Short mmCIF file of all heavy atoms in Angstrom, two decimals:
data_model
loop_
_atom_site.label_atom_id
_atom_site.label_comp_id
_atom_site.label_asym_id
_atom_site.label_seq_id
_atom_site.Cartn_x
_atom_site.Cartn_y
_atom_site.Cartn_z
N PRO A 137 13.45 -1.22 -15.06
CA PRO A 137 14.58 -1.83 -14.35
C PRO A 137 15.62 -0.82 -13.87
O PRO A 137 16.24 -1.02 -12.83
CB PRO A 137 15.18 -2.78 -15.40
CG PRO A 137 14.11 -3.00 -16.41
CD PRO A 137 13.30 -1.75 -16.43
N VAL A 138 15.79 0.26 -14.62
CA VAL A 138 16.79 1.26 -14.23
C VAL A 138 16.32 2.00 -12.98
O VAL A 138 17.06 2.17 -12.00
CB VAL A 138 17.06 2.24 -15.38
CG1 VAL A 138 18.04 3.31 -14.96
CG2 VAL A 138 17.57 1.49 -16.60
N LEU A 139 15.08 2.42 -12.99
CA LEU A 139 14.53 3.11 -11.81
C LEU A 139 14.52 2.17 -10.61
O LEU A 139 14.85 2.58 -9.48
CB LEU A 139 13.11 3.60 -12.11
CG LEU A 139 12.38 4.26 -10.94
CD1 LEU A 139 13.11 5.52 -10.47
CD2 LEU A 139 10.93 4.60 -11.32
N ALA A 140 14.15 0.92 -10.83
CA ALA A 140 14.11 -0.05 -9.72
C ALA A 140 15.48 -0.16 -9.06
O ALA A 140 15.60 -0.20 -7.84
CB ALA A 140 13.64 -1.41 -10.23
N LYS A 141 16.52 -0.20 -9.90
CA LYS A 141 17.88 -0.31 -9.34
C LYS A 141 18.26 0.95 -8.57
O LYS A 141 18.87 0.88 -7.50
CB LYS A 141 18.86 -0.55 -10.49
CG LYS A 141 20.14 -1.22 -10.06
CD LYS A 141 19.86 -2.60 -9.51
CE LYS A 141 21.07 -3.23 -8.85
NZ LYS A 141 20.73 -4.46 -8.14
N ARG A 142 17.90 2.09 -9.12
CA ARG A 142 18.22 3.36 -8.42
C ARG A 142 17.50 3.43 -7.08
O ARG A 142 18.05 3.93 -6.09
CB ARG A 142 17.82 4.55 -9.30
CG ARG A 142 18.63 4.69 -10.58
CD ARG A 142 20.07 5.10 -10.34
NE ARG A 142 20.19 6.38 -9.68
CZ ARG A 142 20.28 7.55 -10.30
NH1 ARG A 142 20.29 7.59 -11.62
NH2 ARG A 142 20.39 8.67 -9.63
N LEU A 143 16.29 2.91 -7.02
CA LEU A 143 15.53 2.94 -5.76
C LEU A 143 16.12 1.97 -4.75
O LEU A 143 16.12 2.23 -3.54
CB LEU A 143 14.06 2.64 -6.04
CG LEU A 143 13.33 3.76 -6.77
CD1 LEU A 143 11.98 3.29 -7.29
CD2 LEU A 143 13.15 4.98 -5.86
N GLU A 144 16.62 0.86 -5.25
CA GLU A 144 17.33 -0.07 -4.36
C GLU A 144 18.56 0.62 -3.76
O GLU A 144 18.83 0.52 -2.57
CB GLU A 144 17.74 -1.31 -5.15
CG GLU A 144 18.56 -2.31 -4.35
CD GLU A 144 19.01 -3.49 -5.21
OE1 GLU A 144 18.22 -3.96 -6.06
OE2 GLU A 144 20.16 -3.94 -5.02
N GLU A 145 19.27 1.35 -4.59
CA GLU A 145 20.50 1.99 -4.14
C GLU A 145 20.26 3.08 -3.10
O GLU A 145 21.14 3.35 -2.28
CB GLU A 145 21.24 2.58 -5.35
CG GLU A 145 21.84 1.51 -6.26
CD GLU A 145 22.27 2.03 -7.62
OE1 GLU A 145 22.10 3.24 -7.89
OE2 GLU A 145 22.76 1.22 -8.42
N VAL A 146 19.08 3.71 -3.11
CA VAL A 146 18.83 4.74 -2.09
C VAL A 146 18.21 4.15 -0.83
O VAL A 146 17.89 4.89 0.10
CB VAL A 146 17.96 5.91 -2.62
CG1 VAL A 146 18.64 6.61 -3.77
CG2 VAL A 146 16.56 5.43 -3.00
N GLY A 147 18.03 2.83 -0.80
CA GLY A 147 17.64 2.21 0.47
C GLY A 147 16.18 1.80 0.60
O GLY A 147 15.70 1.60 1.72
N CYS A 148 15.48 1.65 -0.52
CA CYS A 148 14.10 1.19 -0.43
C CYS A 148 14.05 -0.25 0.08
O CYS A 148 14.95 -1.05 -0.19
CB CYS A 148 13.40 1.29 -1.79
SG CYS A 148 13.06 2.98 -2.28
#
Side-chain angles (χ1 to χ4, degrees):
Chain A
V138 177
L139 176 62
K141 203 63 189 171
R142 294 290 299 270
L143 290 167
E144 176 183 321
E145 289 166 0
V146 299
C148 288

